[in-house]
Amino acid sequence: MQFRSYAAIGDSFTEGVGDELPDGVARGWADLVALGLALAARDGDGAASAGGATPFGYANLAIRGRLLGPIIDEQLDAAIALRPDLLSLNGGGNDIMRPKVSVESVADRLAAAAEKAMAAGIHVLLLSGGNPTKHIPLGARIEVRGEQLAAAVRARVPASGTITFVDNWADAELTDLRYWSVDKLHLNSLGHRRVAGNVLTGLGAPVPDWGDEQLELKRPGTIEYWRGFVLPWIGRRLTGRSSGDGREPKRPTLLPVQLA
């Protein structure tokens, strides 16, 4: 499969939180996938690329903190309207962390969103997030829901059609703490690179050498961790706020991917 354009929708996982560049902008796995696909398209063009081949277009409409409902209601139609060759869809991670959730309903909405994009002639990349539950408070409870959601989504992936499913939740290596940022909930740059590799492999595209250096993260102690991450998260839940309030998509239109 060779793509010329790619649009991503989702929450903090797809926005790239945890893989911040020096200027503070989140990069993340979707940006890396766009780069990998752009390189594959260029190499596939061969000599034609020297003659001014069409640049690879990439949009990212994901916003941190979003539940699945707003992802579908606010991002899906906007992404389809861009008419990309490929659309990635991930969501539900924030839903399963709420006190009450219907896992089957979340899976149904994901499947329906994928079907809608496929009906528009777009190849859908449906993917699960990594499993952070080994290291976070209430992790065992959240892991049960995560397993249920991953299984429900797997069961709904059509056996044929223009869809690729990449199951990062089932990637046992990705549960290692070295892939997670200091908040233990979002992937760090190493984790985002691993997900990008999983996705590109699933799409049949070459995986560039991102580098696999060990990150030196200064992790807070237990008290500092709760003060800095857990209690603020609880406070947002109790007051109905989100980390994504007031934020706009970082890349709302298809823009050329810079290869240099």
Side-chain angles (χ1 to χ4, degrees), residues 123-226:
H123 189 106
V124 172
L125 166 64
L126 182 61
L127 72 161
S128 58
N131 180 356
T133 61
K134 307 297 183 186
H135 318 289
I136 61 174
L138 301 177
R141 178 181 179 183
I142 297 170
E143 184 172 31
V144 170
R145 290 180 172 181
E147 294 285 358
Q148 292 171 342
L149 179 59
V153 172
R154 288 186 208 111
R156 286 163 172 77
V157 175
S160 61
T162 55
I163 187 168
T164 300
F165 178 56
V166 176
D167 195 355
N168 294 292
W169 186 269
D171 182 353
E173 172 66 18
L174 197 54
T175 65
D176 193 290
L177 184 60
R178 74 189 186 102
Y179 292 106
W180 298 87
S181 66
V182 292
D183 69 4
K184 303 181 184 179
L185 186 61
H186 297 98
L187 295 168
N188 59 29
S189 59
L190 190 63
H192 279 283
R193 289 198 294 270
R194 183 168 180 88
V195 169
N198 289 346
V199 168
L200 289 169
T201 298
L203 293 171
V207 179
D209 182 10
W210 313 121
D212 192 34
E213 69 273 13
Q214 178 65 48
L215 299 177
E216 296 295 333
L217 295 179
K218 184 178 180 180
R219 297 191 180 276
T222 301
I223 294 176
E224 291 79 8
Y225 173 71
W226 275 78

Side-chain angles (χ1 to χ4, degrees), residues 35-85:
L35 177 58
L37 293 176
L39 290 170
R42 181 200 64 184
D43 295 344
D45 288 337
S49 63
T54 302
F56 186 95
Y58 166 54
N60 190 318
L61 288 75
I63 297 178
R64 65 193 66 184
R66 289 294 192 262
L67 297 169
L68 180 60
I71 291 172
I72 293 175
D73 296 341
E74 301 168 7
Q75 300 176 23
L76 179 62
D77 286 345
I80 290 175
L82 298 174
R83 302 186 63 82
D85 294 336

